[in-house]
Amino acid sequence: RIGGLVLYTEVVTPSVEARLHLEAAEAQYRAVFDQVAMGVARVSPDGQFLEVNDRLCAITGYGRDELHDMRFQTITHPDDLGSDLAKVAALLAGETQTFSMEKRYLTKAGDAVWTNLTVSLVRTGAGEPAYVVSIIEDITARKQVEAEQRQYQSQLRLMIHELNHRVKNTLATEQSMAAR
């Protein structure tokens, strides 16, 4: 009868330990990047999407591979592109480290979706722009409520104006009848 025990040992050298730490850090990064409830993208200085999460795909309607083949300029609403590009230029020039703005993206279906965009620049060790990190929150529902409130307030002002007009006319009629 043959029996025995097999032992397996791994020598933890500094390089193995560094690899394990790197793998743990990558797993943590991936978990945050993929699980956050907002859209996240790494974008090259020229606007190319380098990495996107599933939430950004859901916001825009594009798949990861489709977005990787695009620049943010392609899906930014034309009315918002100028101010977005100006803020990116200031960021790349070192005039600011981060910016936030409300802007619209055009979805794959062609609809405009309102977002709150926050962008931060990451530089290389030599100080050159490496990429930007973009955090994108879908605020379309809030924008729709704001538009409805503006419409309601406009209708309310119109009704108050009409009421004031009618009261003035009624008072003028009463005053002229009393003067007779």
Side-chain angles (χ1 to χ4, degrees):
R1 178 172 176 196
I2 299 176
L5 177 65
V6 175
L7 293 176
Y8 171 77
T9 61
E10 181 176 353
V11 177
V12 180
T13 63
S15 65
V16 170
E17 189 173 355
R19 179 182 50 82
L20 294 174
H21 283 295
L22 185 60
E23 288 172 358
E26 171 65 22
Q28 288 175 342
Y29 165 79
R30 183 63 38 212
V32 169
F33 189 89
D34 288 337
Q35 300 303 317
V36 70
M38 293 188 191
V40 181
R42 276 190 327 110
V43 181
S44 70
D46 69 351
Q48 184 76 37
F49 287 107
L50 302 172
E51 186 177 15
V52 298
N53 71 353
D54 288 339
R55 181 67 184 125
L56 181 58
C57 293
I59 290 170
T60 63
Y62 289 100
R64 284 183 192 232
D65 291 339
E66 291 174 301
L67 284 172
H68 287 155
D69 292 337
M70 302 172 87
R71 292 183 175 1
F72 79 85
Q73 298 92 325
T74 306
I75 63 170
T76 297
H77 192 283
D79 293 344
D80 300 330
L81 187 57
S83 60
D84 196 357
L85 290 174
K87 290 178 182 287
V88 169
L91 191 72
L92 295 174
E95 298 168 11
T96 182
Q97 295 300 311
T98 186
F99 71 84
S100 291
M101 67 181 291
E102 291 183 354
K103 69 177 263 187
R104 290 162 289 180
Y105 284 112
L106 296 175
T107 67
K108 186 174 182 176
D111 300 321
V113 58
W114 275 101
T115 65
N116 184 47
L117 171 69
T118 302
V119 177
S120 296
L121 178 64
V122 176
R123 294 187 177 275
T124 65
E128 296 298 316
Y131 58 88
V132 296
V133 175
S134 299
I135 307 296
I136 301 102
E137 176 187 13
D138 184 347
I139 60 170
T140 303
R142 187 193 87 202
K143 286 295 202 175
Q144 288 172 340
V145 168
E146 289 173 357
E148 290 170 6
Q149 286 177 339
R150 282 191 302 275
Q151 183 179 2
Y152 172 75
Q153 289 171 351
S154 176
Q155 290 172 343
L156 187 59
R157 279 192 295 277
L158 184 63
M159 287 174 39
I160 289 171
H161 178 72
E162 181 64 26
L163 182 61
N164 283 338
H165 180 70
R166 289 181 185 211
V167 167
K168 284 179 188 177
N169 283 347
T170 302
L171 289 175
T173 302
E174 292 288 329
Q175 193 175 28
S176 69
M177 289 173 69
R180 291 185 188 171

